Amino acid sequence: LNIDVHAILAVRNPLEVVASLERRNKFPAIKSALLWSRYFIDAERDTRGWSRCFVDYDALLKAPLATVRRISNELGVTFPVSDTELDGLLAEALKVSLRHHIASTDQLARAGNSASPPMVAYPWALAAAAGKNPPVEVLDRLAADLEEVERGHGIVYAPSA
C-alpha cells in the first residue's frame, strides 16, 4: 500500500480506567488495574522499533493542538489541514465534559503497592510521554511478573463470547 505506519500510545491514569470499567462493565478494581497494565505493556512491547509517540491523556485534553503538534514533530508527519481547522476538529472530538473520571498521579501513589503493575507502568509511561526514554527492561520485568500472576490466577483478559 506504500503507507507509513506510526503508533500513538495514549496513556491515561489507571485509576480513571479502573473507575470507568467499574461503572461500565462492573469489573472489580483489581481486574481493571491488571487489564490496564497488560494492555499498556503489550502495546509498548508490540510497537518497539516502530515510529511511535507516547501521549499523556491529561496533556492531550489540556492542550490538544500543542500535543498534536508534538506528535507531528516526533513522528515526522504533517496533517492535511491548517492549525485553525485542526484546532476546531480537536475541540469537536475531545470534549472534556465526556470525561467522567479524573485522578491525579498523587492519588495513584496513595492507592496501592509501589510494586504493583500500574504503579510501575504508569510512571514509566508518563516519562516516555515526556520524552525521557525510560528503560524498556522495567516493562519486560513487569511483563514477566504479570505473566506469573496470570498463570496462578487465570488469564486477566480474554475475549468475551
Short mmCIF file of all heavy atoms in Angstrom, two decimals, residues 15 35 38 46 96 99 118 124 130 143:
data_model
loop_
_atom_site.label_atom_id
_atom_site.label_comp_id
_atom_site.label_asym_id
_atom_site.label_seq_id
_atom_site.Cartn_x
_atom_site.Cartn_y
_atom_site.Cartn_z
N LEU A 15 -6.21 4.75 37.54
CA LEU A 15 -7.37 4.91 38.43
C LEU A 15 -8.61 5.37 37.66
O LEU A 15 -9.73 4.96 37.99
CB LEU A 15 -7.06 5.91 39.55
CG LEU A 15 -6.10 5.45 40.62
CD1 LEU A 15 -5.90 6.56 41.65
CD2 LEU A 15 -6.57 4.17 41.29
N LEU A 35 -5.85 -5.31 33.74
CA LEU A 35 -6.14 -5.13 32.31
C LEU A 35 -5.38 -3.93 31.77
O LEU A 35 -4.77 -4.00 30.71
CB LEU A 35 -7.64 -4.92 32.09
CG LEU A 35 -8.50 -6.15 31.96
CD1 LEU A 35 -9.99 -5.76 31.98
CD2 LEU A 35 -8.18 -6.90 30.69
N ARG A 38 -1.74 -4.88 31.47
CA ARG A 38 -1.48 -5.83 30.38
C ARG A 38 -1.57 -5.12 29.04
O ARG A 38 -0.72 -5.29 28.17
CB ARG A 38 -2.48 -6.99 30.47
CG ARG A 38 -2.49 -7.93 29.28
CD ARG A 38 -1.15 -8.48 28.86
NE ARG A 38 -0.56 -9.32 29.87
CZ ARG A 38 0.75 -9.61 29.93
NH1 ARG A 38 1.58 -9.14 29.03
NH2 ARG A 38 1.21 -10.37 30.87
N ASP A 46 4.81 -4.38 21.64
CA ASP A 46 4.48 -4.70 20.25
C ASP A 46 4.74 -3.55 19.28
O ASP A 46 4.64 -3.75 18.05
CB ASP A 46 3.02 -5.16 20.14
CG ASP A 46 2.79 -6.50 20.85
OD1 ASP A 46 3.77 -7.20 21.17
OD2 ASP A 46 1.61 -6.84 21.10
N VAL A 96 -14.13 17.65 27.02
CA VAL A 96 -13.79 17.39 28.42
C VAL A 96 -15.02 16.98 29.21
O VAL A 96 -14.93 16.21 30.16
CB VAL A 96 -13.09 18.63 29.04
CG1 VAL A 96 -12.78 18.41 30.50
CG2 VAL A 96 -11.81 18.96 28.27
N ARG A 99 -15.51 13.34 29.94
CA ARG A 99 -14.58 12.66 30.85
C ARG A 99 -15.26 12.55 32.22
O ARG A 99 -15.48 13.54 32.91
CB ARG A 99 -13.29 13.49 30.96
CG ARG A 99 -12.24 12.81 31.77
CD ARG A 99 -10.99 13.66 31.81
NE ARG A 99 -9.88 12.94 32.39
CZ ARG A 99 -8.71 13.49 32.65
NH1 ARG A 99 -8.49 14.75 32.35
NH2 ARG A 99 -7.77 12.77 33.19
N PRO A 118 0.36 -1.29 37.75
CA PRO A 118 0.07 0.09 37.33
C PRO A 118 1.02 1.11 37.97
O PRO A 118 1.35 2.11 37.34
CB PRO A 118 -1.36 0.33 37.80
CG PRO A 118 -1.93 -1.00 38.09
CD PRO A 118 -0.78 -1.90 38.42
N TRP A 124 6.38 5.03 34.20
CA TRP A 124 7.21 4.76 33.03
C TRP A 124 6.58 5.42 31.80
O TRP A 124 7.25 6.08 31.02
CB TRP A 124 7.33 3.25 32.82
CG TRP A 124 8.33 2.87 31.77
CD1 TRP A 124 9.59 2.44 31.96
CD2 TRP A 124 8.13 2.89 30.34
NE1 TRP A 124 10.22 2.20 30.75
CE2 TRP A 124 9.33 2.47 29.74
CE3 TRP A 124 7.06 3.22 29.52
CZ2 TRP A 124 9.50 2.37 28.36
CZ3 TRP A 124 7.23 3.14 28.13
CH2 TRP A 124 8.43 2.71 27.57
N ALA A 130 6.91 12.27 28.25
CA ALA A 130 7.69 13.49 28.44
C ALA A 130 9.01 13.47 27.66
O ALA A 130 9.83 14.36 27.78
CB ALA A 130 7.96 13.70 29.93
N ALA A 143 6.27 -7.39 32.76
CA ALA A 143 5.51 -8.34 31.93
C ALA A 143 5.71 -9.77 32.43
O ALA A 143 4.75 -10.54 32.51
CB ALA A 143 5.95 -8.23 30.47
#
